[in-house]
Amino acid sequence: MQPENPYAAPQVALVDAPAPRPLSGWSVGQLQLLGWLSLVSLLGSLVVTGLVLLVDEQVDLALRRAMDALSLATVLLGSYLLLRLKAFAEQRFQACGLAFPVWAMVLLGLLLEGLDLLWGDGLFNRIDGKTILYFAVLVLLGIATLWLGIRLLRTPGAYPVFRVMAWMDIVGGGMLASVLLMVLAILPLLGGSLCMMLVFFRAAAELRGQSA
């Protein structure tokens, strides 16, 4: 048996792993509700995307109005969830630098939706000032999404699914900003919405464990 070496380095961690920051003002039910709302937003986006790709909007005016209403509701819900995600990340992980890209995404998303409601299919009949403005806003929205993804990726101590969400925003934002790949950008952006749902459910489970 080897004698103990009093000069050997200690074999235990000298500093305990940091405990999760308390989520004051948040409840399990609230976080679960945000998770379910994220699922609703994801399903709404899927329905809108499917209708845009598969349905001839000129056939039925009522269908077009229903699509516009659903699209607007989805954008508003997505904006709300994005703001709640910002508040959660800042409190739980001490994330910083989220305010500008988040608010830019909210405002640009609403502006883009407003332009689509105002001008509709006329945006793509020919290239004019309206079309250039629309795509300029689209590029800025992509840049803001990319920026947010980078800030989320730099958040210390985040959940693994949180980092996956950040990468989805980075990829989707870059594709959106390219304009040429904006249709394909739908896939990673929908993936980001799915990850947001999982982040809220993960946070709810964590908070439930702290209360037990």
PDB file of all heavy atoms in Angstrom, residues 146 166-176 185 188-189:
ATOM      1  N   LEU A 146     -29.707  36.426 -37.194  1.00  0.00           N
ATOM      2  CA  LEU A 146     -28.333  35.923 -37.101  1.00  0.00           C
ATOM      3  C   LEU A 146     -27.625  36.497 -35.881  1.00  0.00           C
ATOM      4  O   LEU A 146     -26.936  35.773 -35.136  1.00  0.00           O
ATOM      5  CB  LEU A 146     -27.579  36.288 -38.380  1.00  0.00           C
ATOM      6  CG  LEU A 146     -26.072  36.001 -38.425  1.00  0.00           C
ATOM      7  CD1 LEU A 146     -25.812  34.511 -38.304  1.00  0.00           C
ATOM      8  CD2 LEU A 146     -25.470  36.547 -39.715  1.00  0.00           C
ATOM      9  N   ALA A 166     -29.874  28.448 -30.683  1.00  0.00           N
ATOM     10  CA  ALA A 166     -28.995  29.521 -31.155  1.00  0.00           C
ATOM     11  C   ALA A 166     -28.453  29.202 -32.545  1.00  0.00           C
ATOM     12  O   ALA A 166     -28.436  30.066 -33.433  1.00  0.00           O
ATOM     13  CB  ALA A 166     -27.848  29.720 -30.166  1.00  0.00           C
ATOM     14  N   TRP A 167     -28.019  27.962 -32.755  1.00  0.00           N
ATOM     15  CA  TRP A 167     -27.500  27.579 -34.069  1.00  0.00           C
ATOM     16  C   TRP A 167     -28.587  27.634 -35.137  1.00  0.00           C
ATOM     17  O   TRP A 167     -28.325  28.005 -36.288  1.00  0.00           O
ATOM     18  CB  TRP A 167     -26.885  26.183 -34.005  1.00  0.00           C
ATOM     19  CG  TRP A 167     -25.481  26.174 -33.496  1.00  0.00           C
ATOM     20  CD1 TRP A 167     -25.018  25.658 -32.321  1.00  0.00           C
ATOM     21  CD2 TRP A 167     -24.338  26.734 -34.152  1.00  0.00           C
ATOM     22  NE1 TRP A 167     -23.671  25.859 -32.198  1.00  0.00           N
ATOM     23  CE2 TRP A 167     -23.214  26.514 -33.305  1.00  0.00           C
ATOM     24  CE3 TRP A 167     -24.148  27.400 -35.357  1.00  0.00           C
ATOM     25  CZ2 TRP A 167     -21.937  26.942 -33.647  1.00  0.00           C
ATOM     26  CZ3 TRP A 167     -22.867  27.826 -35.694  1.00  0.00           C
ATOM     27  CH2 TRP A 167     -21.785  27.595 -34.854  1.00  0.00           C
ATOM     28  N   MET A 168     -29.800  27.263 -34.773  1.00  0.00           N
ATOM     29  CA  MET A 168     -30.910  27.355 -35.723  1.00  0.00           C
ATOM     30  C   MET A 168     -31.137  28.802 -36.150  1.00  0.00           C
ATOM     31  O   MET A 168     -31.388  29.092 -37.331  1.00  0.00           O
ATOM     32  CB  MET A 168     -32.186  26.777 -35.096  1.00  0.00           C
ATOM     33  CG  MET A 168     -32.163  25.283 -34.890  1.00  0.00           C
ATOM     34  SD  MET A 168     -32.190  24.370 -36.446  1.00  0.00           S
ATOM     35  CE  MET A 168     -32.180  22.682 -35.848  1.00  0.00           C
ATOM     36  N   ASP A 169     -31.045  29.717 -35.196  1.00  0.00           N
ATOM     37  CA  ASP A 169     -31.205  31.135 -35.525  1.00  0.00           C
ATOM     38  C   ASP A 169     -30.059  31.634 -36.405  1.00  0.00           C
ATOM     39  O   ASP A 169     -30.271  32.434 -37.322  1.00  0.00           O
ATOM     40  CB  ASP A 169     -31.275  31.968 -34.247  1.00  0.00           C
ATOM     41  CG  ASP A 169     -32.611  31.840 -33.541  1.00  0.00           C
ATOM     42  OD1 ASP A 169     -33.569  31.370 -34.182  1.00  0.00           O
ATOM     43  OD2 ASP A 169     -32.701  32.200 -32.351  1.00  0.00           O
ATOM     44  N   ILE A 170     -28.862  31.171 -36.119  1.00  0.00           N
ATOM     45  CA  ILE A 170     -27.709  31.584 -36.922  1.00  0.00           C
ATOM     46  C   ILE A 170     -27.859  31.116 -38.366  1.00  0.00           C
ATOM     47  O   ILE A 170     -27.698  31.892 -39.319  1.00  0.00           O
ATOM     48  CB  ILE A 170     -26.403  31.044 -36.304  1.00  0.00           C
ATOM     49  CG1 ILE A 170     -26.108  31.759 -34.980  1.00  0.00           C
ATOM     50  CG2 ILE A 170     -25.233  31.215 -37.273  1.00  0.00           C
ATOM     51  CD1 ILE A 170     -24.950  31.171 -34.204  1.00  0.00           C
ATOM     52  N   VAL A 171     -28.184  29.839 -38.530  1.00  0.00           N
ATOM     53  CA  VAL A 171     -28.331  29.287 -39.883  1.00  0.00           C
ATOM     54  C   VAL A 171     -29.527  29.919 -40.593  1.00  0.00           C
ATOM     55  O   VAL A 171     -29.426  30.367 -41.742  1.00  0.00           O
ATOM     56  CB  VAL A 171     -28.477  27.756 -39.821  1.00  0.00           C
ATOM     57  CG1 VAL A 171     -28.778  27.193 -41.209  1.00  0.00           C
ATOM     58  CG2 VAL A 171     -27.209  27.125 -39.262  1.00  0.00           C
ATOM     59  N   GLY A 172     -30.675  29.959 -39.906  1.00  0.00           N
ATOM     60  CA  GLY A 172     -31.877  30.522 -40.519  1.00  0.00           C
ATOM     61  C   GLY A 172     -31.731  31.997 -40.836  1.00  0.00           C
ATOM     62  O   GLY A 172     -32.163  32.457 -41.900  1.00  0.00           O
ATOM     63  N   GLY A 173     -31.114  32.747 -39.925  1.00  0.00           N
ATOM     64  CA  GLY A 173     -30.914  34.171 -40.174  1.00  0.00           C
ATOM     65  C   GLY A 173     -29.991  34.425 -41.346  1.00  0.00           C
ATOM     66  O   GLY A 173     -30.246  35.308 -42.172  1.00  0.00           O
ATOM     67  N   GLY A 174     -28.921  33.638 -41.436  1.00  0.00           N
ATOM     68  CA  GLY A 174     -28.008  33.794 -42.567  1.00  0.00           C
ATOM     69  C   GLY A 174     -28.673  33.476 -43.889  1.00  0.00           C
ATOM     70  O   GLY A 174     -28.474  34.181 -44.889  1.00  0.00           O
ATOM     71  N   MET A 175     -29.479  32.425 -43.909  1.00  0.00           N
ATOM     72  CA  MET A 175     -30.181  32.057 -45.139  1.00  0.00           C
ATOM     73  C   MET A 175     -31.225  33.102 -45.508  1.00  0.00           C
ATOM     74  O   MET A 175     -31.409  33.428 -46.686  1.00  0.00           O
ATOM     75  CB  MET A 175     -30.832  30.681 -44.972  1.00  0.00           C
ATOM     76  CG  MET A 175     -29.834  29.555 -44.772  1.00  0.00           C
ATOM     77  SD  MET A 175     -30.607  27.971 -44.353  1.00  0.00           S
ATOM     78  CE  MET A 175     -31.322  27.527 -45.928  1.00  0.00           C
ATOM     79  N   LEU A 176     -31.895  33.641 -44.497  1.00  0.00           N
ATOM     80  CA  LEU A 176     -32.903  34.670 -44.755  1.00  0.00           C
ATOM     81  C   LEU A 176     -32.259  35.940 -45.305  1.00  0.00           C
ATOM     82  O   LEU A 176     -32.782  36.567 -46.232  1.00  0.00           O
ATOM     83  CB  LEU A 176     -33.655  34.978 -43.464  1.00  0.00           C
ATOM     84  CG  LEU A 176     -34.974  35.741 -43.577  1.00  0.00           C
ATOM     85  CD1 LEU A 176     -35.986  34.937 -44.370  1.00  0.00           C
ATOM     86  CD2 LEU A 176     -35.526  36.045 -42.185  1.00  0.00           C
ATOM     87  N   ALA A 185     -34.833  28.860 -45.569  1.00  0.00           N
ATOM     88  CA  ALA A 185     -34.632  29.354 -44.206  1.00  0.00           C
ATOM     89  C   ALA A 185     -35.790  28.974 -43.296  1.00  0.00           C
ATOM     90  O   ALA A 185     -35.649  28.978 -42.066  1.00  0.00           O
ATOM     91  CB  ALA A 185     -34.454  30.872 -44.219  1.00  0.00           C
ATOM     92  N   PRO A 188     -34.758  25.795 -40.714  1.00  0.00           N
ATOM     93  CA  PRO A 188     -34.071  26.048 -39.438  1.00  0.00           C
ATOM     94  C   PRO A 188     -34.840  26.987 -38.518  1.00  0.00           C
ATOM     95  O   PRO A 188     -34.765  26.847 -37.288  1.00  0.00           O
ATOM     96  CB  PRO A 188     -32.725  26.653 -39.862  1.00  0.00           C
ATOM     97  CG  PRO A 188     -32.931  27.155 -41.247  1.00  0.00           C
ATOM     98  CD  PRO A 188     -33.933  26.238 -41.860  1.00  0.00           C
ATOM     99  N   LEU A 189     -35.600  27.925 -39.075  1.00  0.00           N
ATOM    100  CA  LEU A 189     -36.365  28.832 -38.225  1.00  0.00           C
ATOM    101  C   LEU A 189     -37.495  28.091 -37.507  1.00  0.00           C
ATOM    102  O   LEU A 189     -37.784  28.364 -36.337  1.00  0.00           O
ATOM    103  CB  LEU A 189     -36.918  29.990 -39.054  1.00  0.00           C
ATOM    104  CG  LEU A 189     -35.858  30.946 -39.618  1.00  0.00           C
ATOM    105  CD1 LEU A 189     -36.504  32.028 -40.473  1.00  0.00           C
ATOM    106  CD2 LEU A 189     -35.030  31.573 -38.504  1.00  0.00           C
TER     107      LEU A 189
END
